[in-house]
PDB file of all heavy atoms in Angstrom:
ATOM      1  N   THR A   1       6.264   5.897 -13.302  1.00 94.00           N
ATOM      2  CA  THR A   1       5.256   4.840 -13.396  1.00 94.00           C
ATOM      3  C   THR A   1       5.786   3.521 -12.850  1.00 94.00           C
ATOM      4  O   THR A   1       5.046   2.752 -12.236  1.00 94.00           O
ATOM      5  CB  THR A   1       4.807   4.663 -14.860  1.00 94.00           C
ATOM      6  OG1 THR A   1       4.460   5.933 -15.386  1.00 94.00           O
ATOM      7  CG2 THR A   1       3.643   3.717 -14.968  1.00 94.00           C
ATOM      8  N   VAL A   2       7.073   3.263 -13.067  1.00 94.00           N
ATOM      9  CA  VAL A   2       7.678   2.026 -12.564  1.00 94.00           C
ATOM     10  C   VAL A   2       7.592   1.988 -11.042  1.00 94.00           C
ATOM     11  O   VAL A   2       7.243   0.961 -10.458  1.00 94.00           O
ATOM     12  CB  VAL A   2       9.143   1.907 -13.038  1.00 94.00           C
ATOM     13  CG1 VAL A   2       9.826   0.701 -12.422  1.00 94.00           C
ATOM     14  CG2 VAL A   2       9.215   1.855 -14.543  1.00 94.00           C
ATOM     15  N   VAL A   3       7.892   3.101 -10.403  1.00 92.00           N
ATOM     16  CA  VAL A   3       7.824   3.170  -8.937  1.00 92.00           C
ATOM     17  C   VAL A   3       6.391   2.956  -8.460  1.00 92.00           C
ATOM     18  O   VAL A   3       6.149   2.218  -7.499  1.00 92.00           O
ATOM     19  CB  VAL A   3       8.384   4.521  -8.415  1.00 92.00           C
ATOM     20  CG1 VAL A   3       8.238   4.619  -6.911  1.00 92.00           C
ATOM     21  CG2 VAL A   3       9.829   4.685  -8.815  1.00 92.00           C
ATOM     22  N   VAL A   4       5.438   3.563  -9.141  1.00 94.00           N
ATOM     23  CA  VAL A   4       4.027   3.418  -8.752  1.00 94.00           C
ATOM     24  C   VAL A   4       3.580   1.962  -8.888  1.00 94.00           C
ATOM     25  O   VAL A   4       2.896   1.426  -8.010  1.00 94.00           O
ATOM     26  CB  VAL A   4       3.133   4.367  -9.588  1.00 94.00           C
ATOM     27  CG1 VAL A   4       1.667   4.084  -9.343  1.00 94.00           C
ATOM     28  CG2 VAL A   4       3.457   5.816  -9.272  1.00 94.00           C
ATOM     29  N   ILE A   5       3.986   1.295  -9.955  1.00 96.00           N
ATOM     30  CA  ILE A   5       3.614  -0.110 -10.154  1.00 96.00           C
ATOM     31  C   ILE A   5       4.252  -0.993  -9.080  1.00 96.00           C
ATOM     32  O   ILE A   5       3.589  -1.864  -8.499  1.00 96.00           O
ATOM     33  CB  ILE A   5       3.998  -0.580 -11.570  1.00 96.00           C
ATOM     34  CG1 ILE A   5       3.119   0.123 -12.607  1.00 96.00           C
ATOM     35  CG2 ILE A   5       3.894  -2.094 -11.703  1.00 96.00           C
ATOM     36  CD1 ILE A   5       3.579  -0.073 -14.036  1.00 96.00           C
ATOM     37  N   LEU A   6       5.539  -0.777  -8.815  1.00 93.00           N
ATOM     38  CA  LEU A   6       6.206  -1.545  -7.758  1.00 93.00           C
ATOM     39  C   LEU A   6       5.570  -1.287  -6.388  1.00 93.00           C
ATOM     40  O   LEU A   6       5.371  -2.217  -5.599  1.00 93.00           O
ATOM     41  CB  LEU A   6       7.700  -1.202  -7.708  1.00 93.00           C
ATOM     42  CG  LEU A   6       8.559  -1.701  -8.861  1.00 93.00           C
ATOM     43  CD1 LEU A   6       9.954  -1.099  -8.783  1.00 93.00           C
ATOM     44  CD2 LEU A   6       8.624  -3.213  -8.856  1.00 93.00           C
ATOM     45  N   LEU A   7       5.234  -0.035  -6.127  1.00 92.00           N
ATOM     46  CA  LEU A   7       4.602   0.336  -4.859  1.00 92.00           C
ATOM     47  C   LEU A   7       3.242  -0.341  -4.719  1.00 92.00           C
ATOM     48  O   LEU A   7       2.931  -0.919  -3.669  1.00 92.00           O
ATOM     49  CB  LEU A   7       4.454   1.854  -4.779  1.00 92.00           C
ATOM     50  CG  LEU A   7       3.679   2.413  -3.595  1.00 92.00           C
ATOM     51  CD1 LEU A   7       4.378   2.092  -2.292  1.00 92.00           C
ATOM     52  CD2 LEU A   7       3.519   3.921  -3.753  1.00 92.00           C
ATOM     53  N   ALA A   8       2.444  -0.295  -5.757  1.00 94.00           N
ATOM     54  CA  ALA A   8       1.117  -0.926  -5.715  1.00 94.00           C
ATOM     55  C   ALA A   8       1.233  -2.430  -5.488  1.00 94.00           C
ATOM     56  O   ALA A   8       0.491  -3.012  -4.679  1.00 94.00           O
ATOM     57  CB  ALA A   8       0.350  -0.643  -7.003  1.00 94.00           C
ATOM     58  N   GLY A   9       2.172  -3.072  -6.158  1.00 93.00           N
ATOM     59  CA  GLY A   9       2.376  -4.503  -5.967  1.00 93.00           C
ATOM     60  C   GLY A   9       2.829  -4.849  -4.566  1.00 93.00           C
ATOM     61  O   GLY A   9       2.360  -5.818  -3.962  1.00 93.00           O
ATOM     62  N   LYS A  10       3.734  -4.040  -4.023  1.00 90.00           N
ATOM     63  CA  LYS A  10       4.248  -4.293  -2.670  1.00 90.00           C
ATOM     64  C   LYS A  10       3.153  -4.117  -1.628  1.00 90.00           C
ATOM     65  O   LYS A  10       2.969  -4.962  -0.755  1.00 90.00           O
ATOM     66  CB  LYS A  10       5.422  -3.364  -2.373  1.00 90.00           C
ATOM     67  CG  LYS A  10       6.065  -3.608  -1.028  1.00 90.00           C
ATOM     68  CD  LYS A  10       7.387  -2.904  -0.943  1.00 90.00           C
ATOM     69  CE  LYS A  10       8.061  -2.943   0.396  1.00 90.00           C
ATOM     70  NZ  LYS A  10       7.769  -4.021   1.274  1.00 90.00           N
ATOM     71  N   ILE A  11       2.413  -3.044  -1.726  1.00 89.00           N
ATOM     72  CA  ILE A  11       1.348  -2.791  -0.745  1.00 89.00           C
ATOM     73  C   ILE A  11       0.227  -3.816  -0.882  1.00 89.00           C
ATOM     74  O   ILE A  11      -0.272  -4.349   0.119  1.00 89.00           O
ATOM     75  CB  ILE A  11       0.826  -1.349  -0.877  1.00 89.00           C
ATOM     76  CG1 ILE A  11       1.901  -0.358  -0.417  1.00 89.00           C
ATOM     77  CG2 ILE A  11      -0.445  -1.160  -0.058  1.00 89.00           C
ATOM     78  CD1 ILE A  11       1.539   1.091  -0.595  1.00 89.00           C
ATOM     79  N   ALA A  12      -0.173  -4.135  -2.106  1.00 92.00           N
ATOM     80  CA  ALA A  12      -1.255  -5.106  -2.314  1.00 92.00           C
ATOM     81  C   ALA A  12      -0.875  -6.478  -1.760  1.00 92.00           C
ATOM     82  O   ALA A  12      -1.682  -7.132  -1.089  1.00 92.00           O
ATOM     83  CB  ALA A  12      -1.601  -5.204  -3.791  1.00 92.00           C
ATOM     84  N   SER A  13       0.348  -6.923  -2.024  1.00 90.00           N
ATOM     85  CA  SER A  13       0.751  -8.239  -1.531  1.00 90.00           C
ATOM     86  C   SER A  13       0.811  -8.277  -0.015  1.00 90.00           C
ATOM     87  O   SER A  13       0.431  -9.277   0.605  1.00 90.00           O
ATOM     88  CB  SER A  13       2.093  -8.651  -2.137  1.00 90.00           C
ATOM     89  OG  SER A  13       3.124  -7.791  -1.693  1.00 90.00           O
ATOM     90  N   LYS A  14       1.251  -7.200   0.596  1.00 86.00           N
ATOM     91  CA  LYS A  14       1.295  -7.154   2.062  1.00 86.00           C
ATOM     92  C   LYS A  14      -0.113  -7.139   2.647  1.00 86.00           C
ATOM     93  O   LYS A  14      -0.390  -7.824   3.624  1.00 86.00           O
ATOM     94  CB  LYS A  14       2.064  -5.918   2.541  1.00 86.00           C
ATOM     95  CG  LYS A  14       3.526  -5.966   2.265  1.00 86.00           C
ATOM     96  CD  LYS A  14       4.218  -6.924   3.201  1.00 86.00           C
ATOM     97  CE  LYS A  14       5.717  -6.788   3.053  1.00 86.00           C
ATOM     98  NZ  LYS A  14       6.430  -7.331   4.163  1.00 86.00           N
ATOM     99  N   ILE A  15      -1.003  -6.366   2.055  1.00 89.00           N
ATOM    100  CA  ILE A  15      -2.371  -6.298   2.573  1.00 89.00           C
ATOM    101  C   ILE A  15      -3.062  -7.651   2.451  1.00 89.00           C
ATOM    102  O   ILE A  15      -3.670  -8.131   3.405  1.00 89.00           O
ATOM    103  CB  ILE A  15      -3.174  -5.185   1.862  1.00 89.00           C
ATOM    104  CG1 ILE A  15      -2.694  -3.817   2.347  1.00 89.00           C
ATOM    105  CG2 ILE A  15      -4.669  -5.345   2.115  1.00 89.00           C
ATOM    106  CD1 ILE A  15      -3.305  -2.648   1.630  1.00 89.00           C
ATOM    107  N   PHE A  16      -2.943  -8.294   1.286  1.00 92.00           N
ATOM    108  CA  PHE A  16      -3.598  -9.596   1.098  1.00 92.00           C
ATOM    109  C   PHE A  16      -2.994 -10.663   2.005  1.00 92.00           C
ATOM    110  O   PHE A  16      -3.673 -11.615   2.380  1.00 92.00           O
ATOM    111  CB  PHE A  16      -3.544 -10.035  -0.366  1.00 92.00           C
ATOM    112  CG  PHE A  16      -4.464  -9.260  -1.251  1.00 92.00           C
ATOM    113  CD1 PHE A  16      -3.986  -8.621  -2.378  1.00 92.00           C
ATOM    114  CD2 PHE A  16      -5.817  -9.155  -0.960  1.00 92.00           C
ATOM    115  CE1 PHE A  16      -4.830  -7.900  -3.204  1.00 92.00           C
ATOM    116  CE2 PHE A  16      -6.670  -8.430  -1.780  1.00 92.00           C
ATOM    117  CZ  PHE A  16      -6.177  -7.809  -2.899  1.00 92.00           C
ATOM    118  N   GLY A  17      -1.739 -10.499   2.358  1.00 90.00           N
ATOM    119  CA  GLY A  17      -1.107 -11.463   3.257  1.00 90.00           C
ATOM    120  C   GLY A  17      -1.359 -11.191   4.726  1.00 90.00           C
ATOM    121  O   GLY A  17      -1.453 -12.115   5.534  1.00 90.00           O
ATOM    122  N   LEU A  18      -1.466  -9.918   5.096  1.00 90.00           N
ATOM    123  CA  LEU A  18      -1.587  -9.556   6.514  1.00 90.00           C
ATOM    124  C   LEU A  18      -3.025  -9.418   7.009  1.00 90.00           C
ATOM    125  O   LEU A  18      -3.329  -9.816   8.130  1.00 90.00           O
ATOM    126  CB  LEU A  18      -0.854  -8.237   6.779  1.00 90.00           C
ATOM    127  CG  LEU A  18       0.657  -8.313   6.799  1.00 90.00           C
ATOM    128  CD1 LEU A  18       1.252  -6.910   6.813  1.00 90.00           C
ATOM    129  CD2 LEU A  18       1.133  -9.090   8.000  1.00 90.00           C
ATOM    130  N   TYR A  19      -3.890  -8.835   6.213  1.00 93.00           N
ATOM    131  CA  TYR A  19      -5.238  -8.529   6.693  1.00 93.00           C
ATOM    132  C   TYR A  19      -5.975  -9.757   7.233  1.00 93.00           C
ATOM    133  O   TYR A  19      -6.563  -9.687   8.305  1.00 93.00           O
ATOM    134  CB  TYR A  19      -6.059  -7.831   5.614  1.00 93.00           C
ATOM    135  CG  TYR A  19      -7.380  -7.324   6.130  1.00 93.00           C
ATOM    136  CD1 TYR A  19      -7.451  -6.115   6.814  1.00 93.00           C
ATOM    137  CD2 TYR A  19      -8.548  -8.051   5.960  1.00 93.00           C
ATOM    138  CE1 TYR A  19      -8.659  -5.644   7.301  1.00 93.00           C
ATOM    139  CE2 TYR A  19      -9.759  -7.596   6.447  1.00 93.00           C
ATOM    140  CZ  TYR A  19      -9.807  -6.387   7.120  1.00 93.00           C
ATOM    141  OH  TYR A  19     -10.999  -5.935   7.615  1.00 93.00           O
ATOM    142  N   PRO A  20      -5.962 -10.894   6.538  1.00 93.00           N
ATOM    143  CA  PRO A  20      -6.674 -12.056   7.087  1.00 93.00           C
ATOM    144  C   PRO A  20      -6.117 -12.518   8.436  1.00 93.00           C
ATOM    145  O   PRO A  20      -6.875 -12.930   9.317  1.00 93.00           O
ATOM    146  CB  PRO A  20      -6.469 -13.145   6.026  1.00 93.00           C
ATOM    147  CG  PRO A  20      -6.153 -12.415   4.774  1.00 93.00           C
ATOM    148  CD  PRO A  20      -5.438 -11.172   5.193  1.00 93.00           C
ATOM    149  N   VAL A  21      -4.812 -12.412   8.616  1.00 92.00           N
ATOM    150  CA  VAL A  21      -4.211 -12.826   9.885  1.00 92.00           C
ATOM    151  C   VAL A  21      -4.558 -11.833  10.990  1.00 92.00           C
ATOM    152  O   VAL A  21      -4.927 -12.214  12.100  1.00 92.00           O
ATOM    153  CB  VAL A  21      -2.679 -12.969   9.739  1.00 92.00           C
ATOM    154  CG1 VAL A  21      -2.034 -13.308  11.074  1.00 92.00           C
ATOM    155  CG2 VAL A  21      -2.347 -14.024   8.701  1.00 92.00           C
ATOM    156  N   VAL A  22      -4.459 -10.548  10.690  1.00 92.00           N
ATOM    157  CA  VAL A  22      -4.800  -9.528  11.681  1.00 92.00           C
ATOM    158  C   VAL A  22      -6.277  -9.630  12.057  1.00 92.00           C
ATOM    159  O   VAL A  22      -6.646  -9.452  13.219  1.00 92.00           O
ATOM    160  CB  VAL A  22      -4.452  -8.113  11.152  1.00 92.00           C
ATOM    161  CG1 VAL A  22      -4.960  -7.036  12.085  1.00 92.00           C
ATOM    162  CG2 VAL A  22      -2.956  -7.968  10.970  1.00 92.00           C
ATOM    163  N   ALA A  23      -7.122  -9.947  11.094  1.00 92.00           N
ATOM    164  CA  ALA A  23      -8.567 -10.065  11.356  1.00 92.00           C
ATOM    165  C   ALA A  23      -8.871 -11.182  12.354  1.00 92.00           C
ATOM    166  O   ALA A  23      -9.889 -11.123  13.054  1.00 92.00           O
ATOM    167  CB  ALA A  23      -9.318 -10.309  10.057  1.00 92.00           C
ATOM    168  N   LEU A  24      -7.994 -12.161  12.466  1.00 93.00           N
ATOM    169  CA  LEU A  24      -8.196 -13.223  13.453  1.00 93.00           C
ATOM    170  C   LEU A  24      -8.038 -12.720  14.878  1.00 93.00           C
ATOM    171  O   LEU A  24      -8.613 -13.285  15.810  1.00 93.00           O
ATOM    172  CB  LEU A  24      -7.199 -14.366  13.213  1.00 93.00           C
ATOM    173  CG  LEU A  24      -7.357 -15.159  11.920  1.00 93.00           C
ATOM    174  CD1 LEU A  24      -6.193 -16.132  11.763  1.00 93.00           C
ATOM    175  CD2 LEU A  24      -8.684 -15.895  11.905  1.00 93.00           C
ATOM    176  N   PHE A  25      -7.247 -11.661  15.057  1.00 90.00           N
ATOM    177  CA  PHE A  25      -6.914 -11.184  16.398  1.00 90.00           C
ATOM    178  C   PHE A  25      -7.562  -9.857  16.770  1.00 90.00           C
ATOM    179  O   PHE A  25      -7.550  -9.474  17.934  1.00 90.00           O
ATOM    180  CB  PHE A  25      -5.399 -11.056  16.544  1.00 90.00           C
ATOM    181  CG  PHE A  25      -4.689 -12.357  16.345  1.00 90.00           C
ATOM    182  CD1 PHE A  25      -4.107 -12.681  15.130  1.00 90.00           C
ATOM    183  CD2 PHE A  25      -4.623 -13.277  17.382  1.00 90.00           C
ATOM    184  CE1 PHE A  25      -3.460 -13.885  14.948  1.00 90.00           C
ATOM    185  CE2 PHE A  25      -3.984 -14.489  17.215  1.00 90.00           C
ATOM    186  CZ  PHE A  25      -3.401 -14.795  15.993  1.00 90.00           C
ATOM    187  N   ARG A  26      -8.087  -9.129  15.810  1.00 87.00           N
ATOM    188  CA  ARG A  26      -8.687  -7.819  16.068  1.00 87.00           C
ATOM    189  C   ARG A  26     -10.112  -7.792  15.566  1.00 87.00           C
ATOM    190  O   ARG A  26     -10.387  -8.156  14.427  1.00 87.00           O
ATOM    191  CB  ARG A  26      -7.887  -6.706  15.395  1.00 87.00           C
ATOM    192  CG  ARG A  26      -6.483  -6.581  15.900  1.00 87.00           C
ATOM    193  CD  ARG A  26      -6.491  -6.134  17.326  1.00 87.00           C
ATOM    194  NE  ARG A  26      -5.140  -6.172  17.862  1.00 87.00           N
ATOM    195  CZ  ARG A  26      -4.872  -6.108  19.137  1.00 87.00           C
ATOM    196  NH1 ARG A  26      -5.837  -6.009  20.017  1.00 87.00           N
ATOM    197  NH2 ARG A  26      -3.636  -6.152  19.554  1.00 87.00           N
ATOM    198  N   ASN A  27     -11.042  -7.321  16.403  1.00 85.00           N
ATOM    199  CA  ASN A  27     -12.456  -7.306  16.053  1.00 85.00           C
ATOM    200  C   ASN A  27     -12.883  -6.029  15.345  1.00 85.00           C
ATOM    201  O   ASN A  27     -13.716  -6.060  14.461  1.00 85.00           O
ATOM    202  CB  ASN A  27     -13.323  -7.502  17.303  1.00 85.00           C
ATOM    203  CG  ASN A  27     -13.129  -8.885  17.890  1.00 85.00           C
ATOM    204  OD1 ASN A  27     -12.866  -9.838  17.169  1.00 85.00           O
ATOM    205  ND2 ASN A  27     -13.241  -8.998  19.189  1.00 85.00           N
ATOM    206  N   HIS A  28     -12.337  -4.900  15.760  1.00 87.00           N
ATOM    207  CA  HIS A  28     -12.748  -3.619  15.188  1.00 87.00           C
ATOM    208  C   HIS A  28     -12.120  -3.416  13.810  1.00 87.00           C
ATOM    209  O   HIS A  28     -10.936  -3.689  13.605  1.00 87.00           O
ATOM    210  CB  HIS A  28     -12.340  -2.463  16.100  1.00 87.00           C
ATOM    211  CG  HIS A  28     -13.099  -2.446  17.384  1.00 87.00           C
ATOM    212  ND1 HIS A  28     -12.705  -3.190  18.477  1.00 87.00           N
ATOM    213  CD2 HIS A  28     -14.214  -1.786  17.745  1.00 87.00           C
ATOM    214  CE1 HIS A  28     -13.554  -2.980  19.468  1.00 87.00           C
ATOM    215  NE2 HIS A  28     -14.483  -2.127  19.042  1.00 87.00           N
TER     216      HIS A  28
END
């Protein structure tokens, strides 16, 4: 469970940080 929680936190933080920036450069 510890690994799953750490994994979810790592992926969520990366997505929330990257998606808005990538959306500026990619339309699809």
Side-chain angles (χ1 to χ4, degrees):
T1 309
V2 175
V3 177
V4 172
I5 291 169
L6 289 171
L7 174 63
K10 183 166 174 26
I11 291 176
S13 65
K14 291 286 189 162
I15 287 174
F16 287 125
L18 286 170
Y19 188 82
V21 176
V22 173
L24 294 173
F25 300 98
R26 298 293 173 195
N27 294 329
H28 292 85

